[in-house]
Amino acid sequence: YLLQEKLCWSYGERVGRRDSFYCTHISSAQRLPNGNTLVTQGPQGILFEVTPEREEVWRYISPCCSDDDHASFTRQGDSRTGGRYSLFTGLKYAASFGAFKGRTLT
């Protein structure tokens, strides 16, 4: 996160380091109103929210897989194998978001 060209916050290992999740495409980060950050690891198909203190709040691992011929899903609790689990991006909306008006969100 840059503020006036000064690094204010970072998360994860630097590029080229073990456990780095740097990616050149289909990934994103969204600063949330509560100060947390929503991170999309695009090629890995993973979304997670992290606090300013670098504590993970929750994690979603996409069960949707595709290859050149078909799509499939991994059952909850099973290991993902083969194929592509890519996610383009993820966004988190507040419960007050206009499209949710009149809808039950539970």
Side-chain angles (χ1 to χ4, degrees):
Y1 172 62
L2 291 174
L3 181 64
Q4 297 178 1
E5 300 301 318
K6 179 183 174 191
L7 182 64
C8 298
W9 187 83
S10 67
Y11 180 80
E13 295 297 325
R14 294 186 329 207
V15 176
R17 306 272 189 210
R18 184 176 181 191
D19 298 325
S20 169
F21 59 85
Y22 172 79
C23 184
T24 60
H25 65 294
I26 67 166
S27 297
S28 66
Q30 176 190 12
R31 180 71 71 197
L32 303 173
N34 64 2
N36 291 353
T37 303
L38 178 65
V39 177
T40 302
Q41 290 180 273
Q44 297 89 346
I46 297 173
L47 298 170
F48 64 94
E49 184 176 336
V50 64
T51 68
E53 294 76 30
R54 296 170 176 77
E55 292 185 31
E56 193 171 292
V57 178
W58 58 268
R59 174 176 289 249
Y60 171 78
I61 302 173
S62 175
C64 306
C65 174
S66 66
D67 61 25
D68 294 334
D69 298 321
H70 64 284
S72 62
F73 298 88
T74 302
R75 290 183 182 182
Q76 186 174 353
D78 288 352
S79 296
R80 300 188 309 174
T81 58
R84 293 183 299 266
Y85 291 88
S86 301
L87 294 173
F88 182 73
T89 192
L91 296 172
K92 187 172 183 180
Y93 295 94
S96 60
F97 183 67
F100 299 147
K101 187 175 182 175
R103 300 181 186 270
T104 302
L105 301 178
T106 58

